[in-house]
């Protein structure tokens, strides 16, 4: 079993080993794909990543919607974690900043 690092940015905690996201003491419920997108972005803070790059790194065999689905996942993540940590890079993709 591979243990991945827990990511902590301010009051946002992302634990990939338990697949758990917390803001302060509050647990945030994310879908599998939402969690994977958030963890991938947060693992590369400050990097500008295209939807295609994000999709290629988090896709699953049973998930065939394509890179355009990343946009809707980002929207849902932003709504659930209530932060501006995921910045849109217009005409390119997204960047995690906190």
């Amino acid at each position: 079993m591979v243990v991945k690092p827990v990511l902590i940015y301010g009051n946002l905690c992302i634990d990939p080993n338990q697949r758990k996201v917390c803001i302060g003491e509050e647990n945030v419920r994310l879908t599998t794909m939402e969690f994977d997108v958030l963890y991938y972005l947060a693992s590369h803070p400050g990097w500008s990543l295209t939807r295609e790059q994000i999709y290629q790194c988090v896709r699953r065999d049973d998930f065939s919607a394509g890179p355009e689905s990343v946009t809707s996942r980002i929207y849902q993540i932003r709504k659930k974690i209530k932060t501006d940590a995921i910045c849109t890079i217009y005409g390119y993709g997204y960047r995690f900043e906190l």
Side-chain angles (χ1 to χ4, degrees), residues 21 26-31 34 76 80:
V21 175
E26 179 183 345
N27 289 331
V28 178
R29 295 178 58 109
L30 298 178
T31 66
E34 290 167 356
Q76 291 300 322
K80 292 177 180 182

Side-chain angles (χ1 to χ4, degrees), residues 6-30:
V6 174
L7 304 176
I8 300 173
Y9 297 99
N11 66 346
L12 175 64
C13 178
I14 308 166
D15 184 344
N17 306 301
Q18 296 183 35
R19 297 195 62 82
K20 183 176 169 182
V21 175
C22 296
I23 298 176
E25 298 297 317
E26 179 183 345
N27 289 331
V28 178
R29 295 178 58 109
L30 298 178

Side-chain angles (χ1 to χ4, degrees), residues 3-64:
V3 177
K4 294 182 180 179
V6 174
L7 304 176
I8 300 173
Y9 297 99
N11 66 346
L12 175 64
C13 178
I14 308 166
D15 184 344
N17 306 301
Q18 296 183 35
R19 297 195 62 82
K20 183 176 169 182
V21 175
C22 296
I23 298 176
E25 298 297 317
E26 179 183 345
N27 289 331
V28 178
R29 295 178 58 109
L30 298 178
T31 66
T32 299
M33 190 68 162
E34 290 167 356
F35 182 89
D36 292 344
V37 168
L38 177 61
Y39 187 76
Y40 182 70
L41 284 169
S43 296
H44 300 86
W47 291 26
S48 295
L49 301 164
T50 65
R51 288 186 309 177
E52 181 68 33
Q53 288 172 310
I54 297 165
Y55 177 74
Q56 289 300 321
C57 290
V58 302
R59 74 179 179 164
R60 299 189 180 283
D61 292 336
D62 61 342
F63 188 77
S64 60

Side-chain angles (χ1 to χ4, degrees), residues 79-98:
K79 238 170 72 170
K80 292 177 180 182
I81 66 173
K82 300 175 184 120
T83 182
D84 295 330
I86 302 173
C87 302
T88 300
I89 310 302
Y90 292 99
Y92 189 77
Y94 300 95
R95 179 175 52 236
F96 185 87
E97 295 179 347
L98 196 60

